[in-house]
């Protein structure tokens, strides 16, 4: 009895370690790009627009207003002008196209200033604290996307 | 001396007499714009510019004055002051601010004013080197660069400096950090645009050490580089390293022709 329990404990532990290792190695969820879009949810789940709005505004997370004007958010101070206004963007782009832009805009415009919000590799001199980590988690991307999808003309 | 004071007073009176013309002429940045090259001054708020323009209000001038005192103070085992060897700074230092960093043949590498001063401290004065953003270093660098006030930036990028220039250019254009941006994404592609509450400038170096209202203190150009690296979540380099020296040369070259503004005031 005793030995069996120990053995099981060992397997569980090994499993956890392996999981942790793969999570730090890849950092970002896997996804498929087709027709300049990521058509499937990164998590298989739908996004929560309410939480998405919070992530969008949070200066340590999306901080999207640093570069974009959004007319419906005019109660928030300091909208930037580096990117285009996002009003009506969900009428211009399909959901999968917007997901791709949030995950990694460089796939469609390699010179863009817009950060890839869900990418952890191929980056130069990342501060230790952020190394191997994405700016937004896969679910946060889905949540922001759900919020951006409300920006219709 | 007297004549200069009179001329300055004249300019002051003229400015006072025609405030409306001043406002309308807001787009004419005079010597602060050379072709497409624009000093950070031209992107700063009018109130911030006014603080810089008035020597009595410009808080950076306190560091210039401190620097002048240090210039005359004996320090180190050799029993010398800067003045013992360099005499009158307005004469011996007058071209330093507009031409540095330079390739120093005797040490075979690029050198900026801070590193040159520390070399004088260790080798010539037998004194301890100063930290980059210490009060004495900021003071003496401000004082030395102030001797070139108004002179157009004119750095050399050929000869021994050429390979440093190339490295600086590469640094400038290389994406870095978790946010994966290069200097050029903000200071070339987006100069003039608001990012959050800040108007992005061309990121020129002609006013350093620059007094930052936010810090209530001047900062070195390398401190600014560190800040601009960290805000894109990139690992900064230490002040005075070869990487930042090369970057300094490239940044100063981008500002060729702009007047030395030390001490500039920014927010």
């Amino acid at each position: 009895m005793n030995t069996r329990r120990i053995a099981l404990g060992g397997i569980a532990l090994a499993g956890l370690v392996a999981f942790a290792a793969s999570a730090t190695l890849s950092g970002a969820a896997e996804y498929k790009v087709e027709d300049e879009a990521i058509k499937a949810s990164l998590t298989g789940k739908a996004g929560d627009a309410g939480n998405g709005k919070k992530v969008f505004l949070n200066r340590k997370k999306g901080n999207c207003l640093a570069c974009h004007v959004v007319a419906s958010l005019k109660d928030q101070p300091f909208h930037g002008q580096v990117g285009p206004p996002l009003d009506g963007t969900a009428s211009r782009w399909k959901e999968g196209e917007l997901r791709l832009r949030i995950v990694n805009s460089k796939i469609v415009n390699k010179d863009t200033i817009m950060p890839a919000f869900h990418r952890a590799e191929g980056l130069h001199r990342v501060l230790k604290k952020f190394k191997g980590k994405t700016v937004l988690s896969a679910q946060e991307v889905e949540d922001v996307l759900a919020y951006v999808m409300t920006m219709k003309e | 001396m007297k004549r200069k004071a009179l001329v300055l007073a004249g300019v002051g009176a003229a400015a006072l007499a025609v405030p409306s013309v001043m406002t309308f002429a807001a787009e004419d940045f005079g010597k602060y714009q050379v072709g497409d090259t624009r000093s950070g001054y031209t992107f700063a708020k009018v109130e911030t510019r006014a603080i810089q323009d008035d020597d009595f209000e410009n808080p950076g001038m306190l560091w210039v004055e401190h620097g002048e005192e240090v210039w005359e103070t004996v320090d180190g085992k050799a029993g010398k002051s800067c003045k013992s060897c360099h005499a009158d700074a307005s004469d011996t230092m007058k071209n330093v601010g507009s031409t540095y960093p330079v390739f120093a043949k005797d040490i075979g590498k690029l050198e900026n004013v801070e590193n040159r001063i520390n070399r004088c401290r260790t080798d010539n004065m037998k004194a301890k080197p100063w930290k980059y953003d210490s009060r004495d270093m900021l003071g003496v660098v401000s004082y030395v660069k102030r001797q070139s006030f108004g002179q157009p930036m004119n750095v050399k990028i050929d000869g021994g400096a050429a390979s440093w220039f190339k490295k600086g250019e590469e640094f400038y254009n290389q994406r870095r950090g978790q946010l994966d941006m290069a200097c050029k994404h903000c200071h070339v592609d987006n100069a003039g645009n608001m990012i959050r509450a800040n108007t992005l400038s061309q990121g020129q170096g002609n006013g350093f050490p620059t007094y930052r209202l936010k810090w209530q203190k001047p900062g070195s150009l390398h401190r600014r580089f560190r800040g601009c690296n960290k805000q894109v979540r990139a690992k900064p380099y230490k002040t005075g390293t070869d990487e930042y020296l090369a970057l300094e040369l490239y940044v100063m070259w981008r500002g060729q022709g702009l007047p030395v503004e030390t001490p500039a005031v920014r927010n």
Side-chain angles (χ1 to χ4, degrees):
Chain A
M1 261 309 239
N2 242 342
T3 23
R4 208 174 132 207
R5 219 184 263 152
I6 286 169
L8 278 174
I11 289 169
L13 207 72
L16 267 178
V17 170
F19 176 76
S22 67
T24 27
L25 270 182
S26 62
E30 279 182 22
Y31 54 82
K32 196 169 126 206
V33 179
E34 45 182 335
D35 312 324
E36 301 206 332
I38 300 171
K39 293 179 181 170
S41 161
L42 299 181
T43 57
K45 283 198 285 183
D48 167 359
N51 187 52
K53 181 177 177 183
K54 285 188 201 139
V55 175
F56 187 97
L57 293 174
N58 186 328
R59 294 186 185 208
K60 297 217 156 96
K61 297 263 185 161
N63 196 20
C64 312
L65 285 186
C67 294
H68 292 287
V69 169
V70 181
S72 63
L73 293 173
K74 59 175 179 295
D75 56 318
Q76 300 284 331
F78 308 132
H79 298 210
Q81 314 162 317
V82 169
L86 292 185
D87 306 292
T89 190
S91 305
R92 289 190 288 276
W93 303 102
K94 295 197 197 92
E95 186 185 62
E97 292 169 330
L98 288 173
R99 184 182 285 108
L100 174 84
R101 278 165 178 78
I102 299 169
V103 166
N104 185 0
S105 272
K106 271 149 235 164
I107 297 171
V108 279
N109 174 9
K110 79 173 179 31
D111 291 327
T112 188
I113 187 176
M114 179 158 149
F117 287 94
H118 197 70
R119 174 182 171 198
E121 268 153 58
L123 301 168
H124 180 58
R125 286 184 73 83
V126 176
L127 268 177
K128 211 166 162 194
K129 188 162 116 184
F130 300 104
K131 214 162 182 169
K133 295 183 183 145
T134 56
V135 181
L136 299 182
S137 72
Q139 191 55 46
E140 284 168 337
V141 169
E142 292 303 323
D143 293 353
V144 168
L145 176 63
Y147 176 59
V148 170
M149 283 306 291
T150 67
M151 299 177 183
K152 294 227 160 82
E153 211 83 81
Chain B
M1 258 320 236
K2 256 216 171 111
R3 236 187 76 191
K4 205 169 142 203
L6 274 176
V7 172
L8 279 173
V11 171
L16 274 177
V18 285
S20 55
V21 173
M22 296 283 288
T23 350
F24 282 118
E27 285 310 296
D28 177 10
F29 296 117
K31 62 180 179 176
Y32 296 105
Q33 170 159 22
V34 178
D36 291 335
T37 307
R38 283 172 58 181
S39 159
Y41 181 93
T42 70
F43 296 93
K45 292 202 188 82
V46 178
E47 309 89 82
T48 310
R49 289 186 224 155
I51 300 173
Q52 174 173 326
D53 290 341
D54 183 341
D55 283 358
F56 293 101
E57 253 198 82
N58 183 339
M61 288 306 286
L62 295 174
W63 271 260
V64 174
E65 282 158 25
H66 175 67
E68 182 170 12
E69 278 165 30
V70 176
W71 179 264
E72 294 166 358
T73 309
V74 171
D75 191 14
K77 293 208 181 89
K80 302 227 189 271
S81 69
C82 313
K83 196 176 178 177
S84 323
C85 295
H86 293 297
D88 182 358
S90 70
D91 177 35
T92 59
M93 296 288 136
K94 68 171 188 280
N95 297 319
V96 171
S98 51
T99 56
Y100 269 64
V102 298
F103 182 77
K105 284 206 189 90
D106 46 352
I107 52 168
K109 60 181 284 188
L110 197 75
E111 199 169 42
N112 64 359
V113 178
E114 285 90 341
N115 287 5
R116 172 68 247 195
I117 289 174
N118 268 343
R119 185 144 70 98
C120 278
R121 285 192 50 87
T122 53
D123 298 4
N124 296 329
M125 298 170 74
K126 309 290 173 213
K128 278 207 190 106
W130 282 321
K131 291 225 168 75
Y132 255 61
D133 285 276
S134 63
R135 186 165 137 81
D136 288 348
M137 181 63 105
L138 286 170
V140 175
V141 175
S142 299
Y143 178 64
V144 166
K145 289 199 175 180
R146 181 72 183 179
Q147 309 309 318
S148 309
F149 183 73
Q151 274 183 45
M153 283 304 308
N154 182 21
V155 294
K156 277 215 172 85
I157 59 165
D158 56 359
S163 62
W164 291 82
F165 178 78
K166 204 165 156 272
K167 285 204 189 87
E169 183 177 28
E170 280 164 13
F171 193 121
Y172 201 85
N173 294 311
Q174 178 167 26
R175 290 181 182 274
R176 63 193 65 238
Q178 191 195 34
L179 301 186
D180 201 28
M181 294 178 202
C183 314
K184 71 146 186 151
H185 288 112
C186 284
H187 294 301
V188 179
D189 298 352
N190 281 291
N193 287 333
M194 297 285 287
I195 190 162
R196 270 291 175 196
N198 293 302
T199 305
L200 285 166
S201 74
Q202 296 178 349
Q204 300 290 358
N206 59 311
F208 281 82
T210 286
Y211 185 89
R212 277 196 83 183
L213 298 168
K214 191 174 131 185
W215 295 336
Q216 296 285 298
K217 168 181 192 321
S220 66
L221 181 61
H222 289 198
R223 179 174 176 191
R224 187 45 122 157
F225 290 167
R226 285 175 60 82
C228 280
N229 279 167
K230 284 190 281 189
Q231 72 179 340
V232 298
R233 300 180 175 176
K235 219 161 99 190
Y237 289 89
K238 293 214 169 83
T239 54
T241 50
D242 289 357
E243 285 82 4
Y244 278 174
L245 286 173
L247 184 61
E248 177 172 353
L249 180 61
Y250 184 73
V251 165
M252 291 311 205
W253 172 82
R254 282 184 23 93
Q256 289 291 50
L258 290 179
V260 174
E261 273 172 46
T262 311
V265 178
R266 304 281 187 266
N267 71 345

